[in-house]
Amino acid sequence: SSSALYWQEQFKGSLPVLDLPSFQSRPLMQTYNGDSLSYRFPSALLEKAEAFCAAHDLTLFMFLMAGINGLLSRYTGQEDIILGTP
């Protein structure tokens, strides 16, 4: 499809690697061990985000992904960051 061809053209060549600083070094052998962290945002913040999204014709998902991209850019200093979702 033309959409697939467009993205193949955009991502041809070498892709940027996220250089995220860490407080711990990675183990020599990849283990896939990890942890999770849960956090509940105050409902007032969610209401403001939803109002912003409605005013700018965005989905909450798009809004949150843009926030994650901005956060990664701030922590890494990189401008070319690729985020993907299934």
Side-chain angles (χ1 to χ4, degrees):
S1 78
S2 63
S3 177
L5 292 174
Y6 170 82
W7 287 112
Q8 287 173 353
E9 181 66 23
Q10 294 300 308
F11 293 127
K12 75 178 182 184
S14 61
L15 297 176
V17 175
L18 189 64
D19 187 21
L20 192 60
S22 175
F23 297 108
Q24 299 176 354
S25 60
R26 292 181 177 258
L28 294 176
M29 172 95 60
Q30 190 171 11
T31 64
Y32 299 99
N33 293 341
D35 202 355
S36 64
L37 176 67
S38 296
Y39 178 82
R40 279 190 170 266
F41 289 98
S43 58
L45 181 62
L46 176 60
E47 290 171 9
K48 287 180 181 179
E50 288 173 333
F52 179 88
C53 290
H56 294 86
D57 197 26
L58 298 170
T59 65
L60 187 57
F61 178 79
M62 293 164 56
F63 176 80
L64 293 172
M65 287 299 290
I68 290 169
N69 198 339
L71 189 64
L72 290 173
S73 178
R74 174 167 276 208
Y75 279 130
T76 64
Q78 294 173 250
E79 292 182 10
D80 195 5
I81 296 174
I82 298 172
L83 296 178
T85 61

